[in-house]
Amino acid sequence: MGMDKIRHILIKNFKQILRTKVSSLIILIGPILIILLAGFAFNSSGLQGISVGMNGDMEDRLNKEIRDDLQNEGLGIKTYSNIKACTESVKSGENHVCLFITEKHPPSDLTFIDDRYDHNVSISADYSKTRIIWTVLNKVNTIIEFKSKEITYTLFDDLSGKITYAINELENKEDQIDQAIRTAENVAEQLEDAEGRVGILVEQTNNAITELNSLEIQLLSTVSEIESISGQTPQTQNMISTISTGVGSIKISLTNINENLNGMGGIHSQITYAKTNTENLVNQLKNIRSTLSKISNDFEDFKGVVAKDLMEPIQPEYSSVSGEKANAEGGLEYFDYILPGLILIVIMFSSILLGSTNTIGEKKNRAYIRNILSPTSTGTFLFGSYLTALIILSIQILVLLIIAKFIFFSPLDLQGITVPLALLLSSSLFILIGTVIGHIFKSEDTTIIASVSIGILLLITSSMIMSVETIPYFLGSIVSLTPFVLLEDILRKLMIFQLPLTSIFIEAILIIGYIVSFTIIAVISQNKTKYKETF
Amino acid sequence: MEPVLEIKKVSLSIKHKEILDSINLTINKNEIVGLIGPSGSGKSMLMKSIMDIFKPTEGIVLINGKKLSKKEIGYATQENSIYENLTIQENLSYFGRLFGLKKSEIKKKSKEILPLLELEANKNRLVKHLSGGMKSRVNIACSLIHNPSILLMDEPISGLDPMLRKNILSLVGKIRNQGTTILITSHFISEIEPFCDKIGILSKGKLLDYGSVKELKYKYSKYYNVLITANTNEYQAIYDLLGKKIKISNAVIKNNKLILQIPKTNTINQYLLFIPSALGSLGERISNISITEATLEGVFSSLFKNGDG
């Protein structure tokens, strides 16, 4: 009979809702609007409706290229003759950003390599438009950074070409130096040989001189002996004369030989000097060769380096921890990452408002007294009201998921039992919170204000608005236990990472604890207040 | 006499304020009992104590000799306790289900109630599209759907125009004829008087008296009302002349009639003979003269002259 009563409470509730066109429209259209707006806002990479003010210098290549890139990204461009007018247009809301690109004067030599070098880029933005400004600035900065890198690559490519030319030239010069070293070494060897030969010749000449001197002495002795022999004969006289002449010739020869010997000594010294110099030259050439080799080798290290490596020496690779799935199905969009939070926001506000407005609406209904005077338990009405809200929520969530899946093509896997179970937990908890609010407050106005306030409080303390990790530890530890944060964590784990139920065990236990607590509070508050509003 | 409702020494205090003080009241089967009293006298609180909305601090309420059973009581509130966005039949079905009736029982009871309350033709219309009088009848119908032994009607005709009041009160009699005992509160004393078998008079949470209308009138009314119709210019002279011969407790001119309150020292017939003769030649100019017993309202007024609840 209890279930039959609940069935009739449900029928009564739905008839009442459906016969109130405004409320039924809000129930269905509300979440559709939210998901469509959020979906189109976050799922679109285009920036339609964003306009950038620029200087209209059509002659300037950099200006033209950036303008074209911005237009290709879907941004609107308006041109201004001076930066003041452009900045004023941002203040008046005509443009979101003012981007002025002007050439530097005088230009540096690098402009001969790339004429886009040496520009001043001035960006003025309206930071009060907090939700959009960083998206716009990021887009503008991305385009400018890309252009800046393009210019740097051009410059580096030029530099790289020159380094390659230098390396090739050095390699050629190394061969020539090697050839010179070899030649110098041959010269040194030949000089050394000549030095030896001249030395031998000097020695032999010295020996000849010694022998000649000895011969001269012997001849002179012979002459003396002959002269001492009495009686010189003409023959003897001739002999002496001949010998004397011979001695004279020997003396002359010795003089000549000595002169030659002195000359040969000078030659020897010169050969020795030349040899030493040649050896020094070889050593110097070898040092030069070694230095050139080192320089060449050093340049060789840069030969394979491309501009990207030099400009971006560390190139991090980003991948999502939900990686495999993302890769397999073409990647998760920003919209997909916020979808769990978005669904939770809809569930939270819808559930709290449904729970509270159903409760206060029923309490304020004149027919309420007939309900509570009937032999039907408080729990039956509570369960009936909870089921009504849950069915409406289920329809809303279904609409949300259908839109996410078939309009925004979200690749999130929403099948299986885990996600519906988590959504059921979320809805149940927030409906019960709403029910308690509905019982505590006395008027519809204050109930709605309280519901919205609690919803906003839970939302503000969630990671959708601020990071729980960055607030002070004490507050953070409290905030991390709030229903929204716990449920957001559960949905994120289940919807994005596809983790098993065991991964959300603690969070689920806490949420079930909340549900049990709020059920008890709802029953107590209903029993305490049921007659107060009616009488 | 079979008692349906027995209120035995019921007292009620809320926040140390005494609301009801040792009320004793018994209502027998098929009786229509009116509960009258000034505002704040405790009429509604007594009804709520009967309904167990406010638990009596002392005493006991018995329905058919047993402790309260919600199924035994029908409660028609002052404001219509019905869902505006449901049809008459849907309201009946819903509340019937809450009282544990089966579909067939609801169908059967609806067939009895709807014609009785003249709602049959509109049973599939949304309540919000009905007139005020029809809504009041739907409210009563919903109170009767579970076939209660006693129907409590809290100010059922307040806020209605005279025609609707008459219409609703005529239904009270019909409901009684179907076998339902009725306890009704109203401040339209003169209008409920003809329908009530007994009247309870409440003041400051106490039941001052309880009895049949006739008993109460006899007990509390010490005056007759003399209604004289004449030229309004003559009323002062009539009053002065009669005042010299009989004691006039009160005199008012209402609807071009002079109403004089005179003590019950003689019978009505004696007065009807005496008054014209006492007026002499002035009596010839009177177009009509009638004498009535005091109404319940008169009793009520005499009891609460100072508006003291």
Side-chain angles (χ1 to χ4, degrees):
Chain A
M1 202 57 189
M3 283 313 293
D4 191 54
K5 285 182 179 179
I6 288 169
R7 189 167 68 87
H8 278 83
I9 291 169
L10 282 177
I11 292 169
K12 180 264 294 179
N13 287 346
F14 277 104
K15 277 180 179 168
Q16 291 222 102
I17 290 166
L18 293 172
R19 284 169 186 168
T20 316
K21 289 182 181 63
V22 177
S23 63
S24 50
L25 275 177
I26 289 170
I27 285 167
L28 275 178
I29 291 177
I32 293 175
L33 277 178
I34 291 171
I35 193 80
L36 283 177
L37 283 172
F40 284 123
F42 295 116
N43 204 35
S44 168
S45 55
L47 289 168
Q48 285 79 11
I50 303 296
S51 62
V52 179
M54 287 185 75
N55 50 330
D57 188 354
M58 297 301 284
E59 299 297 317
D60 187 72
R61 185 175 151 213
L62 180 67
N63 188 313
K64 188 179 179 308
E65 283 181 3
I66 288 176
R67 192 164 56 238
D68 290 346
D69 287 349
L70 288 171
Q71 276 174 334
N72 289 338
E73 289 290 339
L75 285 92
I77 304 291
K78 290 176 185 168
T79 52
Y80 296 87
S81 56
N82 60 71
I83 195 164
K84 191 168 182 287
C86 185
T87 309
E88 286 302 317
S89 76
V90 175
K91 283 183 193 168
S92 68
E94 199 178 335
N95 291 308
H96 293 82
V97 174
C98 171
L99 176 64
F100 246 66
I101 301 166
T102 50
E103 285 181 62
K104 275 183 187 169
H105 289 290
S108 74
D109 291 342
L110 288 171
T111 52
F112 295 109
I113 298 167
D114 192 316
D115 61 357
R116 294 172 298 178
Y117 195 77
D118 272 349
H119 277 80
N120 289 318
V121 177
S122 161
I123 303 172
S124 315
D126 177 6
Y127 287 88
S128 66
K129 290 179 179 168
T130 51
R131 294 295 303 169
I132 190 71
I133 192 63
W134 298 112
T135 311
V136 178
L137 283 180
N138 278 344
K139 185 58 73 181
V140 172
N141 281 337
T142 304
I143 289 169
I144 290 171
E145 272 177 29
F146 183 77
K147 206 49 71 184
S148 176
K149 277 182 187 171
E150 207 175 276
I151 295 167
T152 313
Y153 290 166
T154 309
L155 293 175
F156 181 81
D157 284 343
D158 184 74
L159 181 65
S160 177
K162 284 176 177 163
I163 288 171
T164 307
Y165 174 77
I167 291 167
N168 292 336
E169 283 298 298
L170 281 173
E171 281 171 357
N172 289 337
K173 297 300 173 200
E174 276 176 20
D175 292 342
Q176 288 177 12
I177 289 167
D178 285 344
Q179 186 62 41
I181 289 168
R182 279 195 297 278
T183 308
E185 280 174 344
N186 284 338
V187 171
E189 279 173 19
Q190 286 171 0
L191 284 170
E192 195 174 357
D193 185 53
E195 185 189 25
R197 286 171 188 271
V198 170
I200 291 166
L201 193 61
V202 169
E203 195 180 327
Q204 286 174 347
T205 308
N206 279 330
N207 288 341
I209 290 168
T210 308
E211 282 174 9
L212 284 173
N213 280 332
S214 174
L215 184 62
E216 185 188 3
I217 292 164
Q218 282 177 359
L219 285 175
L220 287 173
S221 168
T222 304
V223 169
S224 297
E225 282 176 10
I226 294 169
E227 282 175 346
S228 62
I229 300 168
S230 51
Q232 286 184 356
T233 67
Q235 284 180 312
T236 317
Q237 284 289 325
N238 283 340
M239 276 176 71
I240 291 170
S241 175
T242 303
I243 291 169
S244 295
T245 304
V247 169
S249 295
I250 287 168
K251 278 186 178 177
I252 292 165
S253 293
L254 277 171
T255 304
N256 288 336
I257 287 168
N258 272 329
E259 280 176 3
N260 287 336
L261 189 61
N262 288 337
M264 278 170 70
I267 288 166
H268 185 262
S269 297
Q270 282 173 350
I271 288 171
T272 304
Y273 180 72
K275 189 195 87 178
T276 307
N277 281 347
T278 306
E279 283 171 352
N280 287 340
L281 179 64
V282 168
N283 288 335
Q284 282 170 0
L285 282 171
K286 280 182 176 174
N287 282 340
I288 290 167
R289 170 72 175 79
S290 169
T291 307
L292 279 177
S293 288
K294 194 172 180 307
I295 290 168
S296 178
N297 285 336
D298 287 348
F299 275 144
E300 200 71 31
D301 290 340
F302 285 95
K303 206 174 179 180
V305 176
V306 293
K308 189 175 172 59
D309 298 332
L310 195 72
M311 301 314 300
E312 300 167 60
I314 299 169
Q315 294 167 25
E317 279 187 19
Y318 297 97
S319 62
S320 167
V321 283
S322 57
E324 286 177 10
K325 181 171 178 51
N327 293 337
E329 299 194 16
L332 297 179
E333 303 267 343
Y334 180 59
F335 172 74
D336 300 318
Y337 289 110
I338 66 158
L339 187 60
L342 204 61
I343 289 173
L344 198 58
I345 289 175
V346 174
I347 289 176
M348 182 179 70
F349 279 105
S350 290
S351 302
I352 293 180
L353 282 168
L354 270 172
S356 62
T357 52
N358 273 355
T359 305
I360 193 75
E362 193 64 30
K363 265 167 64 178
K364 287 287 174 187
N365 197 309
R366 286 173 180 175
Y368 181 60
I369 182 174
R370 210 175 280 291
N371 286 332
I372 57 174
L373 293 178
S374 69
T376 304
S377 70
T378 303
T380 305
F381 287 111
L382 195 69
F383 193 58
S385 174
Y386 159 77
L387 275 185
T388 307
L390 193 66
I391 291 169
I392 294 169
L393 250 296
S394 303
I395 295 167
Q396 291 185 337
I397 293 167
L398 197 65
V399 170
L400 285 183
L401 295 181
I402 287 171
I403 291 174
K405 193 86 179 166
F406 296 104
I407 295 184
F408 299 113
F409 306 106
S410 174
L412 292 175
D413 187 5
L414 304 170
Q415 293 167 352
I417 191 71
T418 52
V419 173
L421 203 63
L423 296 176
L424 176 73
L425 282 178
S426 314
S427 306
S428 300
L429 175 55
F430 291 124
I431 289 169
L432 286 166
I433 291 174
T435 306
V436 171
I437 293 169
H439 281 304
I440 291 172
F441 289 88
K442 289 182 178 176
S443 75
E444 289 176 339
D445 295 343
T446 51
T447 300
I448 290 170
I449 290 168
S451 301
V452 172
S453 303
I454 285 172
I456 289 171
L457 186 71
L458 290 173
L459 182 64
I460 286 174
T461 53
S462 76
S463 60
M464 293 288 287
I465 302 289
M466 66 178 193
S467 171
V468 176
E469 292 82 358
T470 56
I471 56 178
Y473 177 76
F474 175 69
L475 271 179
S477 56
I478 294 171
V479 164
S480 63
L481 294 174
T482 57
F484 193 94
V485 173
L486 289 171
L487 286 166
E488 193 188 6
D489 204 29
I490 288 175
L491 284 182
R492 200 168 48 81
K493 283 178 180 173
L494 295 180
M495 289 177 78
I496 296 175
F497 304 124
Q498 311 274 300
L499 295 179
L501 275 176
T502 48
S503 67
I504 57 156
F505 183 73
I506 294 170
E507 291 92 338
I509 290 292
L510 285 169
I511 291 298
I512 290 167
Y514 273 125
I515 289 173
V516 171
S517 307
F518 276 104
T519 305
I520 293 167
I521 296 169
V523 172
I524 292 170
S525 58
Q526 183 168 357
N527 281 328
K528 287 273 178 195
T529 60
K530 65 180 179 184
Y531 294 129
K532 284 186 181 172
E533 291 301 316
T534 318
F535 304 105
Chain B
M1 287 292 193
E2 187 186 335
V4 174
L5 176 68
E6 293 169 86
I7 300 169
K8 294 181 176 178
K9 289 187 176 178
V10 164
S11 296
L12 175 69
S13 295
I14 296 175
K15 292 179 183 172
H16 307 294
K17 189 183 174 191
E18 197 165 57
I19 309 294
L20 297 173
D21 183 10
S22 196
I23 305 272
N24 282 299
L25 187 73
T26 300
I27 301 175
N28 295 315
K29 190 170 171 61
N30 263 18
E31 278 183 343
I32 299 177
V33 174
L35 208 53
I36 61 172
S39 294
S41 60
K43 302 187 294 289
S44 291
M45 295 308 275
L46 179 59
M47 286 231 172
K48 283 161 193 167
S49 289
I50 296 168
M51 292 297 303
D52 208 30
I53 292 169
F54 293 113
K55 283 193 186 301
T57 42
E58 276 180 50
I60 190 166
V61 176
L62 297 175
I63 309 281
N64 293 323
K66 293 174 189 169
K67 272 195 168 184
L68 173 78
S69 163
K70 286 180 175 178
K71 285 186 179 179
E72 295 290 331
I73 303 179
Y75 186 38
T77 48
Q78 186 176 342
E79 290 182 325
N80 299 320
S81 303
I82 43 177
Y83 287 104
E84 297 266 326
N85 278 318
L86 298 185
T87 64
I88 295 172
Q89 185 61 65
E90 283 168 351
N91 267 292
L92 289 175
S93 298
Y94 172 68
F95 289 116
R97 288 285 180 172
L98 289 190
F99 277 89
L101 269 62
K102 290 176 185 164
K103 193 177 177 182
S104 56
E105 291 172 322
I106 292 169
K107 200 173 176 183
K108 187 182 167 197
K109 192 66 187 171
S110 297
K111 277 187 178 173
E112 286 175 25
I113 297 171
L114 291 172
L116 177 76
L117 298 174
E118 298 160 17
L119 293 167
E120 180 70 23
N122 295 296
K123 67 178 181 181
N124 292 321
R125 281 181 71 191
L126 290 179
V127 170
K128 66 181 175 187
H129 296 144
L130 301 177
S131 66
M134 285 177 89
K135 284 180 184 176
S136 296
R137 297 205 302 265
V138 177
N139 189 36
I140 294 168
C142 289
S143 310
L144 293 170
I145 187 69
H146 58 288
N147 203 20
S149 301
I150 184 165
L151 174 64
L152 307 183
M153 302 177 84
D154 192 4
E155 304 278 359
I157 52 173
S158 80
L160 300 179
D161 63 45
M163 279 299 288
L164 284 174
R165 290 206 294 268
K166 199 175 173 186
N167 183 278
I168 295 291
L169 288 171
S170 70
L171 293 174
V172 173
K174 287 185 187 177
I175 294 165
R176 186 255 295 272
N177 294 340
Q178 296 275 324
T180 307
T181 307
I182 296 168
L183 174 63
I184 183 169
T185 66
S186 178
H187 58 271
F188 292 102
I189 298 160
S190 61
E191 290 181 38
I192 66 162
E193 181 191 325
F195 299 95
C196 292
D197 300 313
K198 285 182 182 170
I199 294 288
I201 303 169
L202 271 172
S203 174
K204 294 179 180 174
K206 288 183 179 171
L207 188 66
L208 289 186
D209 215 331
Y210 178 54
S212 70
V213 175
K214 202 172 179 181
E215 284 169 354
L216 291 177
K217 279 183 183 175
Y218 183 79
K219 192 171 177 182
Y220 289 102
S221 174
K222 295 166 186 170
Y223 303 98
Y224 292 129
N225 286 330
V226 181
L227 280 77
I228 298 169
T229 310
N231 191 322
T232 49
N233 297 331
E234 310 280 1
Y235 285 156
Q236 186 62 47
I238 293 167
Y239 174 77
D240 291 342
L241 193 58
L242 274 179
K244 287 174 184 170
K245 296 174 180 176
I246 51 174
K247 189 185 174 188
I248 298 173
S249 305
N250 199 7
V252 289
I253 297 170
K254 198 174 176 183
N255 298 330
N256 288 331
K257 284 179 184 173
L258 175 64
I259 303 168
L260 302 173
Q261 210 171 46
I262 57 172
K264 276 183 173 176
T265 48
N266 296 301
T267 65
I268 290 175
N269 287 336
Q270 284 172 331
Y271 273 123
L272 280 172
L273 291 170
F274 172 75
I275 290 170
S277 63
L279 290 171
S281 60
L282 200 57
E284 291 170 10
R285 295 205 285 273
I286 292 171
S287 55
N288 189 27
I289 183 166
S290 63
I291 301 174
T292 61
E293 284 226 55
T295 59
L296 196 60
E297 197 162 4
V299 173
F300 185 80
S301 300
S302 65
L303 277 171
F304 304 106
K305 247 177 189 170
N306 303 321
D308 189 1

